[in-house]
């Protein structure tokens, strides 16, 4: 019987995940039953939310059980089908997780047309991260012409799209990213108006200089020191879509903001809108997103970068790296070739 490879959660991490929190296993590739399809994973998407699934702290989603296959979105090929909705050779968006093969009853699978765009984009700029940028920015951030939009993790999957969409909407886009190479890319390749390095000890002063008219939209991806630099510069009626707080995902103690009271006073006096969201809150916007974003990608108005590691066994180290900025662009794992 053919053997597959998978990565399971070996233990719940304390702080930064370690390679020993994961375990590689081999398993018999299953045979699809009535109504089922067998999937071969081509692309596995690695995303910051996976750190949350490794923990059993209360959240909006259930954790991965210890011993369970790590969760994840995939682009997969149907290699055997007993389901009339899918044929051998179909390419589908799935949640097959960190494994080479998986069974599905077809629920939740979405066919991908390989003629429209590279299939990897279904988990990137034309998938969940792109949709997160589009919905959070347009529904909560609501940038207007001439306003200043700031986004951190600006070279990553979500942040890169946020700044480019902000520019399309006529706003000024300022990115914050880790290191010179990422900042150069964000400015020169993605066309942001400015990009600052969050490791610069003078970030707060540089941000102030770079935002002479203050900040109207802060798309929050990271929290931590970046948020503290941004907050004093927010204009009255600024909007803050709270998308992610990656600077805190490995924290071991609940974060106790010492300045919560003065922050709330500013929320009141500046009439700030701070709204957390999960991309699925805006599922009804999916058709609008795909229409706009695929058009912008086709026209070259939205560019994207992929950061690829090879083989499912590379996923643990790649996720550990993603949480501290080792990725440069959308983090993908090539689990198998596009053409088997
Ligand atoms: N709400 C939702 O539905 C939703 C959906 C998707 C993603 N998200 C969130 O969106 C954010 C970005 O996700 P992504 O998939 O686009 O990841 P990404 O930006 O491709 O990768 C994560 C990046 O975060 C940055 N980072 C890590 N620690 C940092 C720190 N302490 N300070 C500043 N930056 C730090 C690193 O970039 P640098 O090298 O630039 O520091 C790293 O490359 C995450 O917080 C994620 O949880 C939320």
């Amino acid at each position: 019987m053919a053997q597959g490879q998978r990565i399971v959660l070996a233990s719940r991490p304390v702080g930064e995940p370690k390679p020993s929190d994961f375990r590689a296993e081999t398993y018999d590739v299953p045979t699809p039953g009535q109504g089922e399809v067998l999937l071969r994973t081509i692309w596995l998407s690695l995303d910051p939310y996976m750190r949350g699934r490794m923990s059993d702290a209360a959240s909006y989603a259930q954790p991965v059980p210890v011993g369970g296959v790590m969760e994840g979105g995939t682009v997969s090929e149907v290699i055997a089908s007993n389901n009339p909705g899918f044929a051998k050779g179909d390419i589908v968006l799935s949640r097959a997780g960190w494994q080479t093969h998986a069974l599905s009853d077809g629920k939740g699978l979405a066919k991908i047309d390989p003629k429209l765009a590279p299939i990897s984009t279904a988990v990137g700029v034309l998938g969940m991260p792109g949709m997160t940028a589009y919905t959070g920015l347009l529904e909560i951030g609501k940038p207007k012409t001439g306003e200043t939009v700031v986004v951190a993790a600006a070279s990553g999957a979500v942040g890169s799209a946020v700044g480019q969409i902000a520019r399309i909407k006529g706003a000024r886009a300022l990115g914050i990213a880790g290191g010179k190479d990422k900042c150069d890319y964000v400015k020169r390749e993605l066309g942001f108006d400015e990009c600052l390095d969050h490791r610069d000890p003078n970030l707060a002063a540089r941000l102030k200089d770079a935002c002479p008219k203050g900040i109207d939209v802060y798309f929050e991806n990271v929290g931590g020191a970046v948020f503290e630099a941004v907050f004093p510069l927010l204009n009255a009626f600024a909007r803050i879509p709270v998308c992610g707080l990656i600077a805190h995902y490995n924290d071991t103690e609940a974060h106790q903001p010492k300045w919560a009271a003065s922050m709330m006073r500013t929320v009141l006096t500046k009439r700030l809108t701070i709204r957390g969201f999960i991309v699925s809150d805006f599922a009804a916007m999916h058709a609008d997103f795909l229409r706009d974003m695929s058009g912008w990608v086709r026209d070259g108005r939205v560019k994207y970068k992929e950061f690829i590691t090879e083989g499912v066994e590379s996923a643990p180290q790649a996720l550990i790296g993603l949480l501290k900025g080792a990725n440069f662009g959308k983090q993908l794992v090539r689990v198998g070739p596009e053409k088997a």
Side-chain angles (χ1 to χ4, degrees):
M1 188 170 259
Q3 295 283 290
Q5 275 185 295
R6 64 188 175 203
I7 306 291
V8 302
L9 178 66
S11 52
R12 300 210 181 280
V14 178
E16 191 181 318
K18 304 179 294 304
S20 59
D21 294 322
F22 304 89
R23 188 172 61 244
E25 294 182 347
T26 55
Y27 62 103
D28 293 341
V29 172
T31 307
Q34 196 54 41
E36 289 184 330
V37 296
L38 177 62
L39 301 172
R40 175 182 76 84
T41 308
I42 299 172
W43 294 106
L44 166 66
S45 172
L46 294 184
D47 299 276
Y49 74 80
M50 291 168 172
R51 176 63 184 84
R53 300 291 199 278
M54 297 177 79
S55 154
D56 56 8
S59 184
Y60 63 91
Q62 289 296 314
V64 173
V66 173
V69 177
M70 285 291 295
E71 259 185 49
T74 65
V75 175
S76 303
E77 180 188 6
V78 175
I79 56 172
S81 177
N82 290 327
N83 181 315
F86 299 92
K88 191 165 178 266
D90 280 350
I91 303 293
V92 293
L93 180 64
S94 164
R95 291 202 56 80
W98 297 24
Q99 54 187 345
T100 55
H101 298 81
L103 286 178
S104 165
D105 62 7
K107 288 199 194 89
L109 296 188
K111 285 189 200 173
I112 297 167
D113 183 352
K115 290 196 251 8
L116 287 185
I119 58 175
S120 57
T121 59
V123 287
V125 69
L126 299 182
M128 184 278 280
M131 169 107 172
T132 302
Y134 179 91
T135 55
L137 181 66
L138 299 183
E139 283 298 293
I140 303 173
K142 298 184 190 298
K144 298 187 199 78
T145 305
E147 286 190 334
T148 298
V149 174
V150 173
V151 60
S155 71
V158 175
S160 59
V162 167
Q164 293 179 89
I165 299 170
R167 296 264 313 158
I168 289 168
K169 297 294 170 188
R172 185 167 176 264
L174 191 142
I176 299 174
K180 183 175 183 314
D181 288 352
K182 287 185 178 180
C183 286
D184 286 350
Y185 165 76
V186 166
K187 253 186 101 166
R188 295 196 189 132
E189 299 286 323
L190 302 183
F192 283 42
D193 297 278
E194 188 53 86
C195 188
L196 303 177
D197 185 348
H198 66 78
R199 298 198 198 111
D200 184 333
N202 298 319
L203 174 67
R206 293 205 196 288
L207 190 60
K208 190 164 188 232
D209 289 346
C211 298
K213 294 191 201 156
I215 296 171
D216 302 292
V217 179
Y218 174 51
F219 193 101
E220 173 64 290
N221 274 333
V222 307
V226 176
F227 178 71
E228 291 182 19
V230 164
F231 195 74
L233 303 176
L234 291 168
N235 289 331
F237 299 102
R239 288 82 65 199
I240 306 160
V242 182
C243 173
L245 296 168
I246 196 167
H248 302 293
Y249 291 173
N250 288 330
D251 283 358
T252 49
E253 286 164 27
H255 203 59
Q256 294 288 350
K258 294 185 187 64
W259 47 292
S262 76
M263 175 178 150
M264 289 310 281
R265 184 181 145 73
T266 306
V267 170
L268 172 63
T269 55
K270 288 194 176 169
R271 286 85 102 206
L272 304 179
T273 299
I274 301 181
R275 179 176 162 193
F277 75 102
I278 302 297
V279 58
S280 51
D281 299 342
F282 298 116
M285 292 176 69
H286 190 250
D288 291 346
F289 157 68
L290 261 191
R291 182 201 57 226
D292 288 348
M293 198 65 140
S294 54
W296 293 333
V297 171
R298 218 174 19 248
D299 300 347
R301 299 177 80 188
V302 170
K303 300 194 179 90
Y304 63 95
K305 188 179 182 74
E306 296 176 336
F307 188 81
I308 298 169
T309 63
E310 302 289 338
V312 72
E313 66 283 1
S314 71
Q317 199 56 56
L319 180 65
I320 292 169
L322 170 76
L323 294 168
K324 47 189 181 189
N327 64 309
F328 190 168
K330 168 66 203 157
Q331 175 74 60
L332 295 168
V333 177
R334 195 193 328 260
V335 176
E338 294 210 352
K339 296 217 181 337

